[in-house]
Amino acid sequence: MNTNSRGCFFIVLCAFMLSGFAGASNAASLRATVDLSKQRMYVSIDGKRKYSWRVSTGKRGWETKPGSYTPFAQREKFYSTKWKMSLPYLTWIGQDGTAIHGTYLSKKLGRTASHGCIRLSIRNARKFYRLVERFGFYGTEVIVRR
């Protein structure tokens, strides 16, 4: 593991330790279901659908992996040196770097365009970010399906 990777790992680990337990005792639950075929994210609170948002997921060769995820870290402002772009309201869900975040490329929402992440409009990413803060990592489930 190089120095840069260790630094990123340390930041993620610290974020997990400091905020991963927030909201864990909430009885309410937050579920985000990402439908890859429809390029939509459905957000439910306590089993009731509250939001339906257009997303962009992984393009050919970078497909977003289906599965069940629990968020483990968040950054309100994050700049990716790897992709040379700002990823506002970032919520990490996959140990491989997969995340849900805002995008300034809103014209691409509704079709595949990312390198595996789940992109939302800035407004919806902010809303989702705040919901995860409210319900906590362990009160949030993200389902990605084909």
Side-chain angles (χ1 to χ4, degrees), residues 126-138:
R126 180 185 313 115
K127 196 172 289 187
F128 181 71
Y129 185 95
R130 300 285 184 245
L131 285 168
V132 173
E133 283 184 322
R134 177 177 156 201
F135 289 97
F137 296 151
Y138 296 108

Side-chain angles (χ1 to χ4, degrees), residues 37-107:
S37 67
K38 293 181 181 176
Q39 291 296 292
R40 297 215 56 97
M41 179 171 165
Y42 305 102
V43 179
S44 299
I45 298 173
D46 292 331
K48 296 177 186 170
R49 185 179 290 175
K50 296 288 185 183
Y51 304 105
S52 174
W53 299 323
R54 288 184 314 142
V55 298
S56 284
T57 60
K59 59 188 174 183
R60 177 168 289 190
W62 297 93
E63 289 85 359
T64 305
K65 294 176 187 160
S68 178
Y69 301 91
T70 300
F72 61 89
Q74 290 187 296
R75 291 282 301 274
E76 192 167 326
K77 295 178 183 177
F78 183 79
Y79 183 82
S80 170
T81 54
K82 180 177 183 176
W83 303 112
K84 296 180 176 50
M85 65 188 310
S86 179
L87 308 174
Y89 301 102
L90 180 110
T91 300
W92 276 285
I93 62 169
Q95 299 299 323
D96 62 353
T98 302
I100 298 170
H101 62 79
T103 183
Y104 295 101
L105 303 171
S106 59
K107 289 182 181 180

